[in-house]
């Protein structure tokens, strides 16, 4: 990466079971787990999932909530409502493959929406699903 424009570095999701969550994100969403062996060995506080070369999703166990001291009240952030996180996929084949994996795992998915506004303008198609912890995701493609 050569420029210094702002980018999304990571998102932290509160999860009940980081290992089960990592399995879901690997099998259903197709993300690569990071630090999973280190987490299960007790060497790191949480595993992460690689979204792309610049962005990861951290899977923080709810038990860490009490240690959140970076801001007053941060320890109460576990379960704080976030509307949804949106994943932008490279095209129709990728979004169809994701939807097929979710359906194969009996994960409910919404109907498709069309031309929803996002960071790159109007997305051709998008749909929503929940992870096992109830976090809502939108998956979309622009091309």
């Amino acid at each position: 990466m050569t420029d210094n424009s702002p980018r999304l570095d990571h998102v932290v999701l509160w999860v009940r079971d980081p290992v089960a969550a990592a399995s879901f994100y690997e099998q259903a969403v197709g993300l690569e787990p990071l630090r999973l062996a280190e987490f299960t060995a007790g060497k790191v506080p949480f595993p992460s999932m690689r979204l792309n070369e610049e962005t990861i999703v951290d899977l923080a166990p709810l038990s860490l909530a009490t240690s959140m001291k970076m801001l007053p009240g941060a320890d109460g952030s576990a379960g704080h409502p976030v509307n949804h996180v949106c994943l932008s996929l490279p095209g129709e084949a990728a979004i169809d493959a994701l939807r097929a994996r979710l359906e194969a795992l009996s994960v409910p998915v919404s109907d498709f929406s069309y031309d929803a506004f996002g960071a790159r303008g109007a997305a051709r198609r998008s749909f929503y699903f929940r992870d096992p912890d109830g976090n809502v995701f939108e998956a979309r493609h622009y091309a």
Side-chain angles (χ1 to χ4, degrees):
M1 183 174 1
T2 57
D3 71 55
N4 290 321
S5 63
R7 289 176 165 76
L8 183 62
D9 185 84
H10 68 277
V11 172
V12 179
L13 299 178
W14 289 115
V15 298
R16 289 182 298 275
D17 180 345
V19 174
S23 178
F24 171 82
Y25 285 104
E26 182 176 22
Q27 292 176 15
V29 185
L31 303 183
E32 173 193 358
L34 303 172
R35 304 180 345 147
L36 187 57
E38 294 91 332
F39 172 74
T40 59
K43 295 179 180 175
V44 297
F46 54 83
S48 302
M49 304 302 291
R50 172 71 57 199
L51 181 63
N52 59 42
E53 65 277 356
E54 298 177 351
T55 309
I56 61 174
V57 176
D58 295 332
L59 304 174
L62 285 168
S63 60
L64 286 181
T66 57
S67 66
M68 297 291 104
K69 306 291 185 199
M70 71 288 283
L71 293 171
D75 58 337
S77 70
H80 180 73
V82 171
N83 187 280
H84 70 279
V85 175
C86 183
L87 304 174
S88 177
L89 302 177
E92 289 185 37
I95 200 168
D96 291 339
L98 170 59
R99 190 176 180 94
R101 287 192 306 272
L102 292 167
E103 289 173 340
L105 292 169
S106 300
V107 175
V109 297
S110 72
D111 291 336
F112 279 109
S113 328
Y114 300 90
D115 301 319
F117 180 76
R120 295 170 36 202
R124 304 233 5 230
R125 289 186 307 165
S126 64
F127 71 90
Y128 294 84
F129 64 94
R130 288 184 188 274
D131 75 2
D133 290 284
N135 295 300
V136 177
F137 282 81
E138 177 185 2
R140 62 171 46 203
H141 70 94
Y142 288 93

